[in-house]
């Protein structure tokens, strides 16, 4: 089947009361690991590419990798999402390329570092909603900022989402999904101790969900940074300092309160690098890249499968027929930007 709108995947997740992992890709092995995990668990899938990923892989390569994924895994509904678009221009070029969903991250200015004010965020996000919905493409916005700096994304400062502003933001922009800041960061170093629901500000999710029960909420920075992956990496020469990620059980709590998209990148990076370090250490005489890329792909698949099962998306790939982007255009026009999920 062709790439499907992310909006449809999230609407279906809301109906079924589950979450959908959104996994970042930069190369062939990551696309294969995620699609294979989706097949083995019969899950719908969201694959996302950052600006850095598009630059690294090259847009045309990324496009054809995703076309291959839809051909080879034709039974899996999969959405292709622009992660952390920094401007309408980035979102426009993603849509031109065939992405079925874009994130306009107006919580930061175009440099993707300086925190933006509310008025700027509303203006720029609304502009992207008008452009994207005219093509049937889904839009995710973000209110509040995460910590951590991942390549080119992030101010490093955490600003938690204000629930009052969240209500106004969703109403004024017409976004399909809202990323909220609850104290997480991108990357491996999120917390210096195991986070509880206070440190994670889960109450923000609960309050927004109460006031906007049909909004699809998104958790960024949701890698769990499992100890066994960090230990393996360090056992074979890595130097990851003691750290904590977002416990899977807290993500599951979020899913009970309207979280429908869960962003995971770091856990796949840790899994791949650990497997590669192990392969290098075990046979220094090997130099065929397949020797270390195969276990890396396998390790990423294992993480993705575990997350797909934990988030509840497993078993749901065949629940529905894909809606075309043309049909999404018609629905956005007919019902206004604010589609309801019930
Ligand atoms: O936004 C964070 C994602 O992990 C993507 O990271 O910009 O290094 O590709 P990246
Ligand atoms: P992690 O760094 O926790 O994997 O977060 C990824 C993310 O939020 C991508 O947008
Ligand atoms: Zn993110």
């Amino acid at each position: 089947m062709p790439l499907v709108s992310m909006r449809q995947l999230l609407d279906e997740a809301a109906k079924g009361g589950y979450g959908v992992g959104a996994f970042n890709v930069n190369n062939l092995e990551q696309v294969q690991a995620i699609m294979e995990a989706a097949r083995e668990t019969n899950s719908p899938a969201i694959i996302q590419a950052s600006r850095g990923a598009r630059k690294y892989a090259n847009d045309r390569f990324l496009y054809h990798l995703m076309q291959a994924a839809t051909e080879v895994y034709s039974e899996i509904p999969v959405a292709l999402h622009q992660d952390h678009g920094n401007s309408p221009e980035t979102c426009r070029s993603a849509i031109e390329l065939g992405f079925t969903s874009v994130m306009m991250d107006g919580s930061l200015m175009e440099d993707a570092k300086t925190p933006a004010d509310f008025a700027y965020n509303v203006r720029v996000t609304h502009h992207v909603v008008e452009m994207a919905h005219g093509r049937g493409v889904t839009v995710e916005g973000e209110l509040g900022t995460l910590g951590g700096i991942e390549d080119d994304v992030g101010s490093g400062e955490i600003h938690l989402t204000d629930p009052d502003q969240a209500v106004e933001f969703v109403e004024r922009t017409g976004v399909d999904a809202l990323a909220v800041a609850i104290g997480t960061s991108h990357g491996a170093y999120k917390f210096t101790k195991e986070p509880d629901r206070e440190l994670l500000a889960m109450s923000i999710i609960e309050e927004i969900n109460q006031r906007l029960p049909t909004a699809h909420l998104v958790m960024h920075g949701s890698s769990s940074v499992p100890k066994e992956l960090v230990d393996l990496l360090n056992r074979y020469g890595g130097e990851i300092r003691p750290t904590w990620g977002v416990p899977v059980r807290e993500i599951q709590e979020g899913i009970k309160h309207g979280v429908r998209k869960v962003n995971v990148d770091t856990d796949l990076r840790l899994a791949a690098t650990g497997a590669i370090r192990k392969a290098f250490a075990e046979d220094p005489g090997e130099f065929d890249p397949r020797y270390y890329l195969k276990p890396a792909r396998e390790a990423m698949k294992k993480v993705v499968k575990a997350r797909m099962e934990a988030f509840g998306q497993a078993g749901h790939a065949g629940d529905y027929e894909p809606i075309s982007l043309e049909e999404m255009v018609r629905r956005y026009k007919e019902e206004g930007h604010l589609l309801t999920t019930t």
Side-chain angles (χ1 to χ4, degrees):
M1 71 177 80
L3 289 168
V4 304
S5 131
M6 189 171 84
R7 175 65 195 243
Q8 187 185 11
L9 296 195
L10 301 186
D11 283 351
E12 291 292 337
K15 276 189 222 157
Y18 58 89
V20 185
F23 302 98
N24 288 73
V25 298
N26 300 274
N27 66 11
L28 167 71
E29 282 74 15
Q30 288 172 310
V31 173
Q32 290 177 331
I34 297 160
M35 294 309 295
E36 199 57 36
R39 170 168 284 168
E40 288 181 19
T41 58
N42 193 31
S43 300
I46 300 172
I47 288 190
Q48 57 188 11
S50 66
R51 278 189 303 142
R54 286 177 57 187
K55 204 163 146 195
Y56 172 82
N58 177 301
D59 273 355
R60 298 308 301 165
F61 276 97
L62 198 57
Y63 171 79
H64 287 286
L65 276 178
M66 290 308 301
Q67 288 306 312
T70 59
E71 275 173 39
V72 175
Y73 298 89
S74 58
E75 79 281 17
I76 302 295
V78 52
L80 176 60
H81 175 76
Q82 167 77 56
D83 192 23
H84 292 286
N86 64 321
S87 65
E89 176 48 31
T90 298
C91 296
R92 191 201 56 75
S93 66
I95 294 168
E96 290 296 313
L97 191 63
F99 281 58
T100 55
S101 180
V102 292
M103 175 183 192
M104 176 62 236
D105 185 355
S107 71
L108 299 172
M109 300 300 289
E110 198 166 332
D111 65 4
K113 288 185 176 21
T114 313
D117 64 31
F118 185 69
Y120 168 86
N121 195 353
V122 169
R123 191 170 64 247
V124 80
T125 306
H126 180 63
H127 174 65
V128 171
V129 166
E130 301 236 292
M131 170 175 71
H133 285 185
R135 307 279 293 269
V137 170
T138 311
V139 180
E140 172 184 337
E142 173 161 335
L143 198 55
T145 58
L146 273 73
I149 299 180
E150 199 78 341
D151 275 8
D152 293 330
V153 183
S155 67
E157 289 168 43
I158 294 181
H159 297 279
L160 299 180
T161 306
D162 171 350
D164 288 333
Q165 280 194 342
V167 174
E168 189 180 339
F169 185 80
V170 168
E171 281 167 1
R172 286 177 59 188
T173 59
V175 283
D176 302 278
L178 177 69
V180 290
I182 56 164
T184 66
S185 305
H186 288 126
Y189 301 105
K190 301 181 195 300
F191 302 105
T192 52
K193 59 175 188 172
E194 186 169 8
D196 51 22
R197 53 168 283 125
E198 304 310 320
L199 197 54
L200 260 169
M202 294 301 288
S203 59
I204 293 181
I205 288 182
E206 289 162 13
E207 189 176 341
I208 296 174
N209 180 236
Q210 254 173 21
R211 296 175 61 182
L212 293 170
T214 59
H216 300 318
L217 304 182
V218 183
M219 276 173 73
H220 280 247
S222 291
S223 277
S224 301
V225 193
K227 191 171 169 338
E228 62 274 16
L229 292 185
V230 172
D231 286 350
L232 181 88
L233 217 151
N234 285 345
R235 195 176 320 135
Y236 291 100
E239 290 185 7
I240 307 289
R241 302 190 305 276
T243 179
W244 275 265
V246 182
V248 167
R249 66 172 180 282
E250 297 297 344
I251 298 171
Q252 289 170 327
E253 277 306 303
I255 291 169
K256 287 185 197 151
H257 298 279
V259 170
R260 298 292 160 234
K261 175 172 180 273
V262 186
N263 283 18
V264 176
D265 184 0
T266 297
D267 283 352
L268 277 69
R269 296 180 181 195
L270 292 170
T273 304
I276 289 171
R277 281 191 173 280
K278 181 168 182 281
F280 282 171
E282 283 177 347
D283 192 348
E286 257 297 352
F287 55 88
D288 180 342
R290 289 170 296 189
Y291 167 72
Y292 53 86
L293 290 176
K294 225 171 137 182
R297 186 173 61 188
E298 197 56 32
M300 290 189 284
K301 184 182 85 177
K302 203 172 149 201
V303 171
V304 176
K305 275 181 78 172
R307 296 295 176 277
M308 286 174 160
E309 275 154 10
F311 301 161
Q313 72 204 84
H316 289 288
D319 286 0
Y320 45 91
E321 286 298 313
I323 299 171
S324 68
L325 293 188
E326 292 71 32
E327 171 60 13
M328 287 305 293
V329 173
R330 201 191 60 71
R331 292 187 187 193
Y332 282 126
K333 274 203 190 120
E334 201 174 273
E335 300 172 41
H337 291 300
L338 293 172
L339 292 185
T340 52
T341 58
T342 46

